Amino acid sequence: TIRELDRFLEAHTDGQEQYLKAREAVLTCPEMAVLYGKDSVVLSSNELVGIEQSISALIFNANQDSRVQKPRTLVDKLPLNAVRVAETRTFNSEQEKAFYTLTSIDRISLLNGSAGTGKSYVLSAVSEAYKESDYQVHGIALQAITAKAIATDCDIPSSTIASFLAKYESGNLEVNNKTVLILDEAGMVGSRDMQKLLMIVENHHAQIKLVGDSYQLNAVMAGSAFNHIQQNLDHKNTASLENIQRQRSNEMKEASQHLSKHNVDQALEIYKALDKVNEYESHELALVKTIQSWSLDQGESKLMLAHSNRDVNELNFMARSILIKDGKLSAESHKVSTYKGEIDLALGDKIVFKKNDKHLNVSNGETAKVIGFELDKQQNIKSMMVESDQGGKISKIDLDSYKHFKHGYANTIHSSQGMTVENAYILASENMNANLTYVALTRHKGNVELNYSATAFNQDEKTWVRNSEGKYQEKELTPFDNLKRTLGRTEVKSFTTDYSVVQAKDELIKNYIRDHRNSLDDQRELYNLNSTFKAITTPDKHFSEKEIIEEVRNSLRSKALLGDEIVRFNGQMNIAKGEQLQLDQELTLKTGFFKKEHFEKDTPLQVIDAYKVKDQAMMKVRIKAEEYEVPFDKLNIRYSDKYLTEYKKDTSARFDSRHKAEMVSKFNQQLQQQKQSQPLQNLNAPNSEIKHSSSIKNSHKMKF
């Protein structure tokens, strides 16, 4: 927003002069796009506007394609294998629907699943059905640790999005109509990566299965592509999982369901009643209590979570101190150099890797236990042996070549998405929001504890509440009230197609915005998808002379170079004060008893005023620096040729943006109409006759 831009510039400039120069530079940047919503104005880049409009077009195409039943020859094995695999699983009703949605052969299928609802369980079955039907299945994710989880849970080759795209673009990966991409944690994927994946799928008639949670952490990069796709994809190609499986107690399952809809206050009330939310006098005391609870937990699957790296480092330091004091960790430590400086490491220490390394086969966020050291001749640590918590793999880490690790007893909430532990201990802070709270309070299966500082959440505020008699009375907000309010703030990312690109408010940007288009040839080459999308992104429309003149007049009026309209000449031309006109035929005016002035055709004139003299309509004009009164019946005029030449250049951005807005609006209407006319049944999913066939149910071991 404009406000966010100003706050950023104020924090990163030195003084008013530098701030104003920086602000002007941003607003005059040719790549800047100003977008107008119903109640707000936002700034974006032309590149992102084009990318997100192409995503809309790709969804539109996928919807159209899914409404055509595919030839059975392409899918002879899949429907039968899908039913066979489903019969070997103990799906609940939600999971079964999700499975059959994801095993349709439509181009895009989407599963929105709350944390702990069994998404991985469903995906493993989907993968099995496709692989046994001779499809090539690729698991992909934004984070390497998530990609590893797909490989483990679904038994399919998986990689990061960056690695997948690099292989594809280098020609080392074949994609065809028997390729299925499973994209996990899709809600964290930005618009740029999402567009590339969707274009690959469309170009090769492949399939992509998007799996994520629109209420968990937003994409790190620009855009909310997953949410936009969910809103615009045909409902027969989307499914949801809301039945919580991870937590064991019914109360905690109910709390997780509230969190999955960002009803944070209700979830915290449940955990408060279960004595899982604890208030302490200071942040330091809350931190100490978090450590104490963690240290009393005798289990292996436990984790401490905090928002800031500072708190995480403090929790890790204190955790080691307690473990050494209790004799659970060797007091004999070694100084090891890491990317953040020296740390103490001992046998049995838990570490977390903070950088992917393909050669070592370690991923950012993966945790491991130190089980041995290798010393050089000077008795300095040369390398260490670690055992991964994910599968028990043992690796040798050469400390000269890899230093990106730290203690792993505590972790940031942001990096914990996708993790599951038995017990979680959370240190709350005032910088958290509903997305982070949802992630933090749904990592556990057994026990959870949330500790916070009364001082940090004591705002000395009051609010009006209704009492038992129905009357309003003033109530002072407690730290717990403020905790619920703070942790319940929702962070929402918008999509550029939710806005218009009409530049109707010239005064807002002080005429700083120039032509906002990128090279049209580049766009045609990059987004060579279909005629609908080309119409959105290229100015194929030719404006009529009348439309151009009207747009030029609006531009001149916005710059105060044209005044109010004063007359409609001959019922056809709107004439304003300051209007620039030209004679369409010769004009002779009597200027005295024996004196006349003659003006040739095409002579320019400027309007000063219009009025009546003795019931005769007169126009006062300026011709060659002289003023004349001319009767309407002697005038034959047209708008100045300048309106179609030099002034047109000044308004080219207005022409382009108006046309683009018209096309985007029309396309969005088509999306809505498409949504309303969507079929009730998926033509390309395993049909009910096969699903309910007794011969299939009695032949679980048969492969088709």
Side-chain angles (χ1 to χ4, degrees):
T1 64
I2 297 290
R3 182 168 175 263
E4 288 169 336
L5 170 66
D6 288 342
R7 287 171 58 189
F8 179 85
L9 292 174
E10 286 170 2
H12 293 81
T13 52
D14 183 17
Q16 182 74 3
E17 182 180 358
Q18 192 181 69
Y19 161 79
L20 291 172
K21 286 182 179 179
R23 192 175 193 273
E24 180 176 354
V26 171
L27 293 175
T28 56
C29 174
E31 293 304 309
M32 175 67 72
V34 179
L35 309 177
Y36 295 91
K38 184 178 179 181
D39 302 309
S40 60
V41 179
V42 298
L43 305 175
S44 187
S45 68
N46 298 316
E47 177 210 15
L48 192 65
V49 170
I51 285 171
E52 296 195 340
Q53 286 173 353
S54 78
I55 290 175
S56 291
L58 288 161
I59 299 167
F60 184 91
N61 295 346
N63 285 345
Q64 293 287 71
D65 181 71
S66 73
R67 299 177 185 201
V68 179
Q69 189 163 11
K70 307 300 185 298
R72 182 63 72 185
T73 53
L74 288 178
V75 290
D76 285 341
K77 297 181 179 180
L78 181 62
L80 299 171
N81 278 326
V83 174
R84 183 195 63 77
V85 170
E87 291 295 331
T88 65
R89 298 298 201 276
T90 55
F91 287 146
N92 60 33
S93 57
E94 279 187 340
Q95 291 171 335
E96 184 182 39
K97 181 181 184 301
F99 171 80
Y100 283 114
T101 299
L102 295 181
T103 50
S104 77
I105 59 166
D106 292 324
R107 187 177 303 158
I108 305 174
S109 303
L110 182 145
L111 173 59
N112 186 76
S114 303
T117 52
K119 293 191 292 288
S120 297
Y121 184 60
V122 173
L123 284 184
S124 66
V126 171
S127 169
E128 182 181 337
Y130 272 109
K131 286 195 296 182
E132 293 187 359
S133 304
D134 301 328
Y135 281 80
Q136 292 296 318
V137 185
H138 297 275
I140 48 178
L142 184 67
Q143 298 172 310
I145 191 170
T146 309
K148 276 191 175 181
I150 302 173
T152 303
D153 297 339
C154 305
D155 190 28
I156 57 175
S158 302
S159 64
T160 61
I161 296 173
S163 176
F164 174 84
L165 292 174
K167 287 181 183 177
Y168 171 79
E169 290 164 1
S170 64
N172 294 320
L173 181 67
E174 182 185 359
V175 178
N176 54 41
N177 65 346
K178 299 286 279 187
T179 300
V180 178
L181 307 182
I182 296 180
L183 176 60
D184 200 8
E185 300 292 1
M188 299 180 70
V189 179
S191 294
R192 289 177 177 85
D193 284 340
M194 187 69 78
Q195 183 226 29
K196 290 176 183 177
L197 295 172
L198 295 181
M199 288 183 71
I200 290 171
V201 167
E202 174 158 310
N203 290 337
H204 297 284
H205 305 287
Q207 301 173 49
I208 187 167
K209 314 297 175 183
L210 306 175
V211 182
D213 187 347
S214 55
Y215 283 92
Q216 288 195 55
L217 300 181
N218 287 320
V220 177
M221 305 304 289
S224 59
F226 180 75
N227 193 41
H228 179 74
I229 295 170
Q230 185 179 356
Q231 291 174 358
N232 291 284
L233 197 65
D234 278 356
H235 70 74
K236 63 185 179 58
N237 288 328
T238 65
S240 62
L241 294 176
E242 298 181 1
N243 190 352
I244 307 296
Q245 304 292 315
R246 181 176 295 164
Q247 285 75 44
R248 296 193 185 95
S249 77
N250 292 330
E251 293 89 350
M252 289 187 179
K253 287 181 179 180
E254 183 184 352
S256 293
Q257 287 173 343
H258 285 305
L259 289 165
S260 71
K261 301 302 181 186
H262 283 183
N263 299 325
V264 174
D265 56 341
Q266 297 178 51
L268 290 179
E269 288 286 359
I270 291 174
Y271 279 122
K272 180 76 170 176
L274 294 173
D275 292 327
K276 305 299 182 184
V277 179
N278 305 309
E279 180 181 306
Y280 299 99
E281 185 178 348
S282 65
H283 186 73
E284 290 73 19
L285 189 56
L287 188 147
V288 170
K289 292 296 184 180
T290 303
I291 283 285
Q292 287 181 346
S293 296
W294 173 87
S295 66
L296 293 173
D297 187 340
Q298 299 302 312
E300 288 293 325
S301 178
K302 58 183 180 179
L303 183 65
M304 292 181 287
L305 295 173
H307 176 260
S308 71
N309 282 308
R310 181 178 178 180
D311 284 339
V312 168
N313 293 338
E314 190 69 24
L315 288 169
N316 277 320
F317 176 79
M318 296 176 69
R320 290 192 78 253
S321 300
I322 291 176
L323 289 174
I324 293 172
K325 181 182 177 181
D326 293 345
K328 296 178 181 179
L329 187 66
S330 173
E332 184 181 345
S333 298
H334 300 274
K335 294 287 184 184
V336 176
S337 177
T338 74
Y339 76 119
K340 290 291 187 181
E342 281 192 340
I343 63 172
D344 291 321
L345 275 187
L347 290 177
D349 251 325
K350 186 172 183 177
I351 63 170
V352 58
F353 298 109
K354 303 304 290 182
K355 184 180 180 181
N356 300 328
D357 191 300
K358 185 166 57 176
H359 300 294
L360 294 174
N361 194 25
V362 298
S363 304
N364 184 7
E366 183 178 350
T367 56
K369 182 180 180 180
V370 178
I371 59 174
F373 295 105
E374 182 182 355
L375 306 179
D376 60 18
K377 293 180 180 179
Q378 288 75 36
Q379 298 301 301
N380 295 320
I381 294 179
K382 181 181 178 182
S383 62
M384 62 181 179
M385 301 296 292
V386 299
E387 181 181 3
S388 173
D389 291 341
Q390 287 75 38
K393 173 185 88 269
I394 296 176
S395 303
K396 180 181 178 181
I397 309 297
D398 186 342
L399 297 177
D400 287 332
S401 59
Y402 187 88
K403 298 179 181 295
H404 283 73
F405 57 88
K406 59 194 292 188
H407 294 126
Y409 304 103
N411 214 336
T412 60
I413 298 171
H414 195 279
S415 61
S416 72
Q417 180 161 322
M419 290 184 178
T420 302
V421 293
E422 184 64 28
N423 303 320
Y425 302 92
I426 303 153
L427 177 63
S429 70
E430 58 270 31
N431 294 319
M432 290 171 60
N433 56 32
N435 307 68
L436 289 165
T437 305
Y438 175 25
V439 171
L441 285 172
T442 52
R443 298 305 93 205
H444 67 287
K445 292 189 290 185
N447 186 41
V448 68
E449 183 179 289
L450 180 75
N451 300 316
Y452 70 97
S453 161
T455 304
F457 290 95
N458 186 10
Q459 304 296 324
D460 292 327
E461 293 184 36
K462 294 182 179 180
T463 187
W464 290 92
V465 296
R466 194 190 295 268
N467 60 23
S468 58
E469 299 175 356
K471 297 180 180 180
Y472 283 97
Q473 64 182 34
E474 202 172 27
K475 175 195 171 185
E476 187 172 337
L477 290 175
T478 66
F480 181 64
D481 291 330
N482 279 310
L483 174 79
K484 292 189 294 182
R485 185 172 64 173
T486 301
L487 269 55
R489 297 174 303 190
T490 300
E491 181 184 287
V492 178
K493 277 197 169 186
S494 57
F495 209 71
T496 59
T497 56
D498 298 333
Y499 296 83
S500 164
V501 293
V502 176
Q503 297 177 16
K505 302 179 181 178
D506 298 79
E507 67 281 1
L508 179 71
I509 53 176
K510 303 182 187 302
N511 299 314
Y512 285 154
I513 305 303
R514 293 199 293 267
D515 187 355
H516 65 275
R517 290 193 179 278
N518 294 327
S519 164
L520 299 177
D521 291 335
D522 288 347
Q523 286 205 5
R524 283 194 180 96
E525 183 178 350
L526 182 61
Y527 305 135
N528 187 19
L529 300 173
N530 59 17
S531 57
T532 303
F533 181 62
K534 283 185 180 179
I536 294 175
T537 56
T538 57
D540 294 326
K541 179 177 178 180
H542 296 283
F543 287 90
S544 68
E545 181 177 305
K546 182 178 179 181
E547 288 176 309
I548 293 172
I549 289 172
E550 192 57 35
E551 197 67 26
V552 169
R553 294 180 75 244
N554 288 336
S555 176
L556 293 174
R557 188 177 291 110
S558 70
K559 298 174 183 178
L561 297 177
L562 205 62
D564 297 332
E565 292 186 353
I566 52 177
V567 69
R568 187 169 175 82
F569 184 73
N570 288 344
Q572 296 178 342
M573 290 177 65
N574 291 320
I575 305 294
K577 288 185 178 182
E579 198 83 65
Q580 299 192 47
L581 307 171
Q582 282 181 260
L583 293 175
D584 234 5
Q585 66 181 26
E586 295 180 351
L587 173 66
T588 300
L589 293 177
K590 185 176 180 181
T591 56
F593 284 108
F594 303 101
K595 189 176 179 181
K596 293 182 179 180
E597 289 282 351
H598 183 76
F599 303 102
E600 299 291 333
K601 182 184 177 182
D602 297 329
T603 299
L605 59 148
Q606 187 175 32
V607 176
I608 299 174
D609 205 353
Y611 41 78
K612 284 187 176 182
V613 177
K614 296 181 180 179
D615 293 331
Q616 184 177 19
M618 304 289 288
M619 187 178 295
K620 190 174 184 179
V621 299
R622 182 177 290 108
I623 307 176
K624 297 178 181 179
E626 297 292 333
E627 294 183 3
Y628 301 93
E629 284 188 339
V630 187
F632 274 27
D633 56 14
K634 286 192 174 185
L635 277 174
N636 197 321
I637 53 177
R638 68 177 188 273
Y639 290 115
S640 171
D641 290 345
K642 289 183 178 181
Y643 288 4
L644 299 172
T645 55
E646 58 187 274
Y647 291 152
K648 179 183 175 181
K649 297 176 184 176
D650 295 337
T651 56
S652 61
R654 293 171 63 92
F655 296 145
D656 288 345
S657 64
R658 190 180 72 174
H659 169 54
K660 189 170 183 178
E662 289 172 354
M663 292 305 302
V664 170
S665 176
K666 181 179 177 182
F667 185 72
N668 285 339
Q669 288 177 4
Q670 290 178 345
L671 270 176
Q672 294 304 315
Q673 290 172 358
Q674 185 189 63
K675 189 89 172 174
Q676 292 171 4
S677 63
Q678 60 189 304
L680 297 176
Q681 185 177 354
N682 193 334
L683 300 172
N684 300 304
N687 55 55
S688 58
E689 300 94 87
I690 296 177
K691 178 181 172 183
H692 296 108
S693 169
S694 58
S695 61
I696 297 296
K697 291 184 177 182
N698 295 326
S699 57
H700 297 320
K701 297 181 180 179
M702 188 183 301
K703 291 189 178 181
F704 297 87

